[in-house]
Amino acid sequence: MDLRAGVRADVQTGAHGVMTTSALRPSRLPELDLRTPTSLEELTGSLAAGWRACGGGTDVLIEALQAGEPTHLVSTTGVHELAQLTCDADGISIGGSVVLARLVRSTSFRSGIAAVADGAQTIGSIQLRNQATLVGNLCSASPAADTIPGLFVHDARVETVDSSGMTRSTAVSEFLHGPGSTSLHDDEVVTAVRLTPSSPGTGSAYRRFTERNALDLAFAGVAASVALEADGVTIRSVRLALGAVGPTVMDASEVTATLIGRTADTELLASVAEAAAGACSPITDHRCSADYRRQLVHVLTLEVIDEAMRRAGRDDNSDPRVQQGKQR
């Protein structure tokens, strides 16, 4: 049976020409071929031959279930180089097959890249986080991906290698092109994501709004990184990133310029939050309206800047695991 043909033949449209859920969800997965290479050369060679990279499979298998493809998958989990997680003075490097649960359990990671850890902790469920990878979350390029705003505020760079052995290092903002679209070439695999950890006097945080604490997409998500001067109250720099309110995560750091060199107060933070809400370009969909998303950005911006400043003042960046129960 050609599952993909069956899907196309069964497509039905409802109001406004939207495909029905039944048309998108076949009853079973198509037959899959899976390769499990142990070297980057084998892996990229399979990619060059048209196979699709698969890390934890939590996204790509759903895609195969819904669309009937891809059916030729090559696993990244057997390649030793992709399983490395390093945290040192030079920064943090997250290998392509490192699962989210491992990041959340890492004390060095939680303290150095708190905004990313906050996002990783909110994804799916415990079972999913034990399977899903950060690189998979990145490469799926969902505007609502929970780890990507944190990657923005920590100046992440995406390192790749292709079938010829050529390597690239790309800023995360340039790596993402749109929903489901990245700069990754067909024969390339992400070997690592490298980030700048928080230095003393710097803190970061991520918050999102969902209807449930787990297994839900963000209506809106905001990450911030704040650096304080030696006095512990004057703001030296701020990074701000907005998720689920545009085709890709939006770097909104420009709207925080009024905070630099000043001590934050309620009125000043409110003006920054209002500017962030006005700068984004959300859509109205079946989950909520564009105006509601702007209101969420306003509230979440206040929360993440406040939490980032608290963590900067404590110099421990808190433990993101305790934040799961605080997600809206």
Side-chain angles (χ1 to χ4, degrees), residues 51 63 81 118 138 155 212 254-255 260:
W51 290 59
E63 183 181 342
E81 297 96 314
D118 285 342
L138 170 63
D155 298 319
R212 301 179 296 184
E254 288 185 359
V255 306
I260 309 305

Side-chain angles (χ1 to χ4, degrees), residues 32 91 188-189 195 201 250 282:
L32 302 174
E188 278 186 312
V189 65
L195 308 96
M250 173 186 174

Side-chain angles (χ1 to χ4, degrees), residues 138-157:
L138 170 63
C139 291
S140 292
S142 166
D146 288 304
T147 62
I148 297 180
L151 295 179
F152 265 68
V153 301
H154 281 285
D155 298 319
R157 297 193 67 85

